Amino acid sequence: MADAVSWTPPTSTEVGTVAKAALAAGLAWGLAVTFTDVDAPVLAALTAVVVVQVNVRASVRTALQRSAAVVVGVLTALAIGDALSLNAFTVALLVGVSLALTQLVLRLPAAAARQVPISVLVVLTTVAANPNQPGWRRAGGTLIGATVGVVMSLALPASRLVDGRQTVQRLGDGVCEVLQSMALGLQEPWSTDQTRAWRRVSHTVRDRLVDQAREAVGDGRNAARWNIRDRRHLTELGRYEDAMPCLERTAIGVWAIARGLDDHARLRDEPHRAMPAMGALFASLAAAIAEHVRNILGASQDAAVVARLDEVHMRRARCMQGASRRARLALECEPGENRLEVEGEWIGYVSLLAQTDRIAADIRANLPLTE
């Protein structure tokens, strides 16, 4: 599991969510004890935590929608828990009906719809553990927890500006680190042991870091209208929002490069010979992407990005000479197994250049980012 997961530093929003969940749970517990006379109001704390967690980075409308879904799930479970005996059939029936109702009938977003069956199962467990507790007290604790969670989410909303800046920076750093690792590795003979690591890390960047950045940036300009902390930063939020498609395609392209190198390495059992020109190209591409991210975040200028892209173009010209040599080898090679290997190397080499071209052209097409 340690090999399959790459740890990334948490953003301030992620740290803040942990703190808000803890505060909401404690506050909901205290209020429920005071107003419902329940010694252990687990449902109040549970509801508060779930509401806070599902409303991270959500708009006001989505936050209220998800909170309502949580409350519906809890209250439904409370009503059913005392009427039905729990067994495999009733549990399967409750989960199926609740998902069908929320996703297929009410057409709630998937994140909100999933909260209902989860809440149902957790509450049924609580009800089964405390069968003599009055239903109105359980419902009261649930409403108190939901109220605390909603108030906490609306009173202390995550800043799209800060969250977007940090996740975009983290995405850019992740992409550049993969490219720099490949650039360094290609300076010496390299093998599948290295390419597997490059492919795994680039896959993490392509999926997890892209998803986190997309969620953080979201519909930033519209969300800022309900967030007093971000109203003055509509321009920056719009810049992050407009840049995300290009950053996502860049991450996908870097993953495709890592996959191409991995496929390339598997053509032979022994380590592949060094490719210093290609390594230099990847290093210059990493520098261009880093400059592009700094530009998105307002710490660089378009001219600096263009200068880095011109360097990529220069490095690419040297690599094209290597591609031409491989093409001549493929044409001059006699038919047989060796020719297939040479042709495979040439096709792999050209595909790496094609991916590099796509990334560089995409970045250049997105300049200037501002008028």
Side-chain angles (χ1 to χ4, degrees), residues 250-369:
T250 298
I252 294 172
V254 171
W255 167 78
I257 289 174
R259 182 187 62 181
L261 286 173
D262 192 37
D263 294 340
H264 200 47
R266 296 176 189 277
L267 292 175
R268 57 175 66 188
D269 296 330
E270 65 273 10
H272 198 285
R273 62 181 176 272
M275 299 168 62
M278 187 67 73
L281 175 61
F282 291 163
S284 64
L285 181 61
I289 293 172
E291 200 67 47
H292 178 50
V293 172
R294 284 194 290 271
N295 192 19
I296 294 170
L297 300 178
S300 181
Q301 301 295 326
D302 294 339
V305 181
V306 172
R308 292 292 188 180
L309 291 174
D310 289 342
E311 182 179 348
V312 172
H313 183 72
M314 180 187 68
R315 300 283 187 186
R316 179 199 183 274
R318 293 190 59 186
C319 290
M320 277 302 298
Q321 297 174 2
S324 299
R325 287 194 296 269
R326 282 170 169 76
R328 286 195 297 270
L329 285 174
L331 291 173
E332 296 170 0
C333 190
E334 294 296 329
E337 183 177 353
N338 189 51
R339 178 173 181 175
L340 292 176
E341 180 179 331
V342 173
E343 289 178 346
E345 286 190 353
W346 172 69
I347 292 172
Y349 201 90
V350 171
S351 68
L352 296 178
L353 293 180
Q355 288 296 337
T356 302
D357 289 345
R358 289 193 187 99
I359 295 172
D362 199 10
I363 293 175
R364 195 181 292 273
N366 280 269
L367 296 173
L369 293 174

Side-chain angles (χ1 to χ4, degrees), residues 179-200:
L179 279 173
Q180 289 164 352
S181 178
M182 291 189 289
L184 183 62
L186 294 181
Q187 300 303 317
E188 304 289 341
W190 47 282
S191 65
T192 54
D193 290 339
Q194 293 165 285
T195 59
R196 277 197 300 266
W198 298 338
R199 189 169 184 169
R200 174 181 58 81

Side-chain angles (χ1 to χ4, degrees), residues 20 24 31 48 87 111 140 162 165 170 196 199 202 210 217 225 227 321 330-331 351-352 354 360 364:
K20 285 193 293 185
L31 291 175
N87 53 53
V162 175
R165 181 188 297 124
R170 186 167 62 181
R196 277 197 300 266
R199 189 169 184 169
S202 65
V210 167
V217 172
R225 304 180 190 280
N227 191 331
Q321 297 174 2
L331 291 173
S351 68
L352 296 178
R364 195 181 292 273

Side-chain angles (χ1 to χ4, degrees), residues 38-313:
V38 176
D39 294 332
V42 177
L43 287 181
L46 166 71
T47 307
V49 170
V50 173
V51 168
V52 169
Q53 291 290 332
V54 300
N55 290 334
V56 178
R57 298 167 177 159
S59 64
V60 172
R61 178 182 177 181
T62 302
L64 294 176
Q65 193 176 51
R66 292 178 179 179
S67 301
V70 173
V71 173
V72 168
V74 174
L75 294 180
T76 301
L78 287 174
I80 294 174
D82 292 329
L84 295 178
S85 60
L86 296 183
N87 53 53
F89 175 76
T90 56
V91 168
L93 181 63
L94 288 172
V95 171
V97 169
S98 59
L99 271 178
L101 179 63
T102 54
Q103 284 191 291
L104 305 181
V105 179
L106 299 180
R107 308 299 291 175
L108 294 179
R114 284 193 297 268
Q115 297 308 315
V116 176
I118 292 173
S119 301
V120 167
L121 293 177
V122 174
V123 172
L124 288 176
T125 303
T126 305
V127 171
N130 301 278
N132 298 322
Q133 195 175 83
W136 70 268
R137 290 184 178 178
R138 297 170 182 157
T142 297
L143 295 176
I144 289 174
T147 301
V148 170
V150 170
V151 170
M152 194 76 67
S153 299
L154 298 182
L156 300 173
S159 172
R160 290 275 184 175
L161 180 69
V162 175
D163 202 20
R165 181 188 297 124
Q166 291 179 338
T167 53
V168 166
Q169 182 67 67
R170 186 167 62 181
L171 173 58
D173 291 345
V175 169
C176 293
E177 286 172 6
V178 175
L179 279 173
Q180 289 164 352
S181 178
M182 291 189 289
L184 183 62
L186 294 181
Q187 300 303 317
E188 304 289 341
W190 47 282
S191 65
T192 54
D193 290 339
Q194 293 165 285
T195 59
R196 277 197 300 266
W198 298 338
R199 189 169 184 169
R200 174 181 58 81
V201 176
S202 65
H203 188 274
T204 299
V205 172
R206 187 201 70 178
D207 288 352
R208 188 198 308 173
L209 297 190
V210 167
D211 286 345
Q212 290 173 351
R214 190 193 302 115
E215 182 187 6
V217 172
D219 189 9
R221 280 171 287 208
N222 288 331
R225 304 180 190 280
W226 299 93
N227 191 331
I228 193 171
R229 299 172 61 188
D230 292 339
R231 288 178 187 172
R232 298 172 297 167
H233 306 290
L234 290 176
T235 300
E236 294 92 329
L237 290 167
R239 189 163 63 237
Y240 302 163
E241 194 176 339
D242 294 340
M244 271 308 302
C246 178
L247 291 175
E248 182 175 0
R249 290 191 296 269
T250 298
I252 294 172
V254 171
W255 167 78
I257 289 174
R259 182 187 62 181
L261 286 173
D262 192 37
D263 294 340
H264 200 47
R266 296 176 189 277
L267 292 175
R268 57 175 66 188
D269 296 330
E270 65 273 10
H272 198 285
R273 62 181 176 272
M275 299 168 62
M278 187 67 73
L281 175 61
F282 291 163
S284 64
L285 181 61
I289 293 172
E291 200 67 47
H292 178 50
V293 172
R294 284 194 290 271
N295 192 19
I296 294 170
L297 300 178
S300 181
Q301 301 295 326
D302 294 339
V305 181
V306 172
R308 292 292 188 180
L309 291 174
D310 289 342
E311 182 179 348
V312 172
H313 183 72

